[in-house]
Amino acid sequence: MAQQTADASSSAGTNAALGAAMLAAASDNPRVDQLLERQIALSDLQIDNLRKQDEYETSHLRWRRFNDQMSGALQLMLVAIGLLIVAGIGAAIWNAAHDNGLVVEAFSVPPDLAAKGLSGEVIAGKVLARLSQFQDETVASRSSESYANNWGDDIKVQIPNTGVSIGEFNRMLQAWLGRETRISGEIYRTPDGLAIAARAGAETTPTFQGREADIDTLIDKVAQRIYRSTQPYRYAAWLEDHGRVAEARAILQSLAATASSPLERGWAYNGLAHLTIITGDIAEAEAYIYKAVAADPSLLQPRGNMLAGEQFLGHDEAALAAARDLLRVAAAGDPTLTQEAFTRNVLNGRLMLATYTGDFATALATAKQEETLDIELGRQDEELSCALLHDAACLAKVAALFGPAGDADTRENRDNNQQQVDTALERWDAVMSAADAFHLELMKGPLILKGLLVYNDQPLHALAAAHLGDFKLAHRLIDQTPGDCNICLRVRGTLAALEHRGDAADWWFAKAESAAPSIPQVDVDWGRALLMRGATVPAIAKFERAHKKGPLDADPLELWGEALLQQNRADLALAKFDAANRTAPHWARLHLKWGEALWWSGDKAAARKQWATAATLGLAPSERSELARVSH
């Protein structure tokens, strides 16, 4: 088109030149005028034609451009549709591969039964409803996702149809790639009524027979058998909750012996430990727990139970190690536990680690966190932590939060905790007055609580009796306790010290320290016993050793200060009391002794301030008498 325009311009120029020449001669020749007019008309016609051609070419090019755009858009649409199809197929394949649901197919039933409204779909629905009920009634700390045949909430009755459809395509994929648990079965007539059997995957249930009127009972039996074969651990938990402990034990023993998965074996042993501990045989339960940990070291729940068992048995060193191991394993997470169970285990591990190492401020903070999961247990642990911090105001504040005990278990747990609180505060009369009533409560309670008599009540009861001078009762109680219970060994040492049998006391404390070399409380008790007989140098060595094991424990520092006072080194005692005050600022006895050290150091004004503080913090009767004596 550009060439045509150039040609037109050239022609127009030639015509113009010709026209100019002809105009010059036009006045003399009429023929020239006619030729000029024709030439001008021809020129106009050519110009008009060229303009129309240009419009046509421009319109054609626009159409071709639009056509190209439409063609490109159509190709993009086809590509997009293709991608959607591929994505849809991919999603269907992914969903099928991750399908863990439960599908109950319509049962085969006699025509006359179907005519009464009990069609195959109805029977399948009844089986499904019963399985859902079993699942809802099963309470366990184990997460549902950890079960090999977990179907969660994806349970449905499937009615087969014919022909090719998207639904059939999806079912084919699920059968091919997924891990659906598919249940099928049949009901047929017998001379005495009906028989029912079902298949769960490759396993077939026994055939259950009964009258037609008992069809719901037959369905319940077949559903239980399905639950047992597909989720044996859950079924065992369900059986225990329904009082069928022997059946639950048999299933767990079989699972522990035959399961190919370390996870399943570990949980089976954990379940056996739980079934054993309720009989009161803590030692046998612990043996199962150790098997659970050996089967799958990554499981957190057995480690939590191991910690609880070792604590219960008074194996302080093993309990401390178990707490550290629990927290180490917890750092990697444990998807086999529910979030609540995981958090409970972690908080208990932190609480026990803090308590065994004398970090009672951290124990108190952890107990407050624990209260968000279990108000009753959290408050009991708060109460004991306040007592171990020698904080009477903290103790009173927490105690005021308790409401009435709603059941016997709660009352027994509170009484046990109160016994430990009174022991920590050296309220020996309170320990003694509550001991007999608590003993009767334990004897009436579950078998597991009877273990508290040996591992908790009797040692603390004996300790109180010894401090009150009833050595005969103290011996009768403590002599019945086992030789590997650390608190039992420490109480034997304290009892010997109170009877002024120093060599015997040292022997028992040495045995306790050998059994629990990492526990500062052993050295605290041993140092206190040495201090009672005036052996300040070895006592200070014990307090120093305890401080290294538990640097946040105020007890060894305060007692160290008392030992220095006995050596007439009040100047050195001040530093120990000041250090103890950083972790136990509300300890009445600490401020009493601190004031005494200040008095002998010559700062009588500061001494009176410390004694005034001590008077507001809940001094024991003997300490009030001492305050009255030293402050006048």
Side-chain angles (χ1 to χ4, degrees), residues 489 493 503-516 522 526 542:
L489 297 174
D503 291 342
D506 290 341
W507 190 88
W508 284 114
F509 283 123
K511 189 172 183 180
E513 188 169 60
S514 176
V522 178
W526 197 349
K542 294 301 178 186

Side-chain angles (χ1 to χ4, degrees), residues 249-413:
R249 182 183 296 276
I251 290 173
L252 291 173
Q253 286 174 335
S254 175
L255 189 60
T258 62
S260 59
S261 165
L263 182 150
E264 291 299 336
R265 291 200 306 276
W267 273 103
Y269 281 124
N270 185 78
L272 286 168
H274 178 70
L275 292 180
T276 302
I277 202 171
I278 62 178
T279 69
D281 193 340
I282 312 299
E284 184 183 353
E286 278 292 276
Y288 278 125
I289 285 298
Y290 276 91
K291 288 182 179 181
V293 171
D296 191 339
S298 69
L299 294 179
L300 193 64
Q301 186 63 43
R303 293 185 181 276
N305 290 334
M306 179 187 292
L307 168 57
E310 297 292 12
Q311 177 194 4
F312 190 98
L313 293 169
H315 299 164
D316 293 356
E317 189 73 20
L320 177 59
R324 287 174 171 151
D325 280 344
L326 184 150
L327 295 175
R328 175 183 57 80
V329 172
D334 185 353
T336 71
L337 278 178
T338 64
Q339 185 58 51
E340 180 179 336
F342 181 84
T343 304
R344 282 178 183 272
N345 276 286
V346 170
L347 289 178
N348 189 52
R350 291 174 182 169
L351 179 71
M352 290 298 99
L353 176 61
T355 300
Y356 279 118
T357 56
D359 185 2
F360 304 123
T362 296
L364 178 60
T366 305
K368 290 181 183 296
Q369 291 179 280
E370 187 181 41
E371 190 177 336
T372 62
L373 296 177
D374 189 324
I375 292 177
E376 178 68 29
L377 180 61
R379 285 179 180 169
Q380 288 182 26
D381 287 334
E382 281 186 61
E383 194 175 34
L384 181 56
S385 297
C386 291
L388 292 169
L389 285 168
H390 309 283
D391 191 336
C394 169
L395 184 62
K397 183 179 179 180
V398 176
L401 298 175
F402 285 99
D407 53 64
D409 287 347
T410 300
R411 185 174 62 253
E412 288 156 1
N413 286 329

Side-chain angles (χ1 to χ4, degrees), residues 107-129:
F107 274 47
S108 172
V109 301
D112 64 314
L113 201 62
K116 296 178 182 179
L118 294 173
S119 65
E121 292 81 5
V122 170
I123 298 299
K126 285 178 173 289
V127 171
L128 184 145

Side-chain angles (χ1 to χ4, degrees), residues 114-171:
K116 296 178 182 179
L118 294 173
S119 65
E121 292 81 5
V122 170
I123 298 299
K126 285 178 173 289
V127 171
L128 184 145
R130 198 70 183 99
L131 291 171
S132 298
Q133 184 179 352
F134 292 152
Q135 184 169 273
D136 293 340
E137 291 175 349
T138 304
V139 179
S141 58
R142 183 175 174 181
S143 68
S144 58
E145 292 77 11
S146 69
Y147 295 98
N149 292 313
N150 174 59
W151 54 71
D153 296 325
D154 183 15
I155 53 179
K156 53 187 175 287
V157 172
Q158 186 176 97
I159 303 174
N161 53 28
T162 58
V164 178
S165 65
I166 293 176
E168 283 297 317
F169 173 69
N170 284 333
R171 281 193 284 273

Side-chain angles (χ1 to χ4, degrees), residues 302-631:
R303 293 185 181 276
N305 290 334
M306 179 187 292
L307 168 57
E310 297 292 12
Q311 177 194 4
F312 190 98
L313 293 169
H315 299 164
D316 293 356
E317 189 73 20
L320 177 59
R324 287 174 171 151
D325 280 344
L326 184 150
L327 295 175
R328 175 183 57 80
V329 172
D334 185 353
T336 71
L337 278 178
T338 64
Q339 185 58 51
E340 180 179 336
F342 181 84
T343 304
R344 282 178 183 272
N345 276 286
V346 170
L347 289 178
N348 189 52
R350 291 174 182 169
L351 179 71
M352 290 298 99
L353 176 61
T355 300
Y356 279 118
T357 56
D359 185 2
F360 304 123
T362 296
L364 178 60
T366 305
K368 290 181 183 296
Q369 291 179 280
E370 187 181 41
E371 190 177 336
T372 62
L373 296 177
D374 189 324
I375 292 177
E376 178 68 29
L377 180 61
R379 285 179 180 169
Q380 288 182 26
D381 287 334
E382 281 186 61
E383 194 175 34
L384 181 56
S385 297
C386 291
L388 292 169
L389 285 168
H390 309 283
D391 191 336
C394 169
L395 184 62
K397 183 179 179 180
V398 176
L401 298 175
F402 285 99
D407 53 64
D409 287 347
T410 300
R411 185 174 62 253
E412 288 156 1
N413 286 329
R414 286 186 186 180
D415 288 345
N416 175 43
N417 197 65
Q418 186 62 48
Q419 189 181 44
Q420 296 181 64
V421 166
D422 289 333
T423 299
L425 297 176
E426 300 184 5
R427 297 173 178 171
W428 306 121
D429 287 328
V431 175
M432 288 295 294
S433 64
D436 290 338
F438 184 45
H439 178 91
L440 291 175
E441 286 182 8
L442 294 177
M443 292 305 295
K444 293 177 183 177
L447 291 173
I448 184 175
L449 292 179
K450 292 180 176 61
L452 288 175
L453 287 173
V454 176
Y455 297 104
N456 191 288
D457 173 67
Q458 287 182 197
L460 299 185
H461 192 176
L463 184 62
H467 276 284
L468 293 174
D470 191 346
F471 298 118
K472 183 177 180 180
L473 174 61
H475 276 289
R476 181 169 61 81
L477 291 168
I478 201 63
D479 290 348
Q480 298 174 21
T481 61
D484 61 347
C485 160
N486 199 257
I487 189 174
C488 306
L489 297 174
R490 300 198 323 259
V491 169
R492 284 182 167 97
T494 300
L495 173 57
L498 290 170
E499 292 177 315
H500 307 291
R501 296 186 295 115
D503 291 342
D506 290 341
W507 190 88
W508 284 114
F509 283 123
K511 189 172 183 180
E513 188 169 60
S514 176
S518 304
I519 305 298
Q521 190 60 46
V522 178
D523 293 291
V524 169
D525 288 352
W526 197 349
R528 187 185 283 113
L530 289 166
L531 201 57
M532 281 193 293
R533 64 181 192 252
T536 56
V537 173
I540 287 175
K542 294 301 178 186
F543 298 141
E544 184 177 10
R545 182 179 174 86
H547 177 60
K548 289 179 180 178
K549 296 176 184 178
L552 296 177
D553 188 353
D555 284 32
L557 291 168
E558 194 278 336
L559 288 165
W560 194 343
E562 289 194 34
L564 289 168
L565 278 177
Q566 287 190 22
Q567 292 180 335
N568 297 318
R569 294 305 309 267
D571 56 328
L572 298 179
L574 290 174
K576 302 306 175 187
F577 294 137
D578 181 61
N581 185 60
R582 293 170 198 164
T583 53
H586 306 296
W587 187 359
R589 182 176 181 81
L590 167 62
H591 290 281
L592 171 65
K593 291 297 181 180
W594 198 353
E596 186 177 339
L598 287 165
W599 181 271
W600 291 113
S601 297
D603 193 345
K604 292 181 170 51
R608 290 190 178 95
K609 288 182 179 179
Q610 289 295 337
W611 288 335
T613 300
T616 67
L617 295 177
L619 289 165
S622 61
E623 292 168 343
R624 285 197 295 271
S625 299
E626 183 177 351
L627 175 59
R629 185 179 68 255
V630 299
S631 61

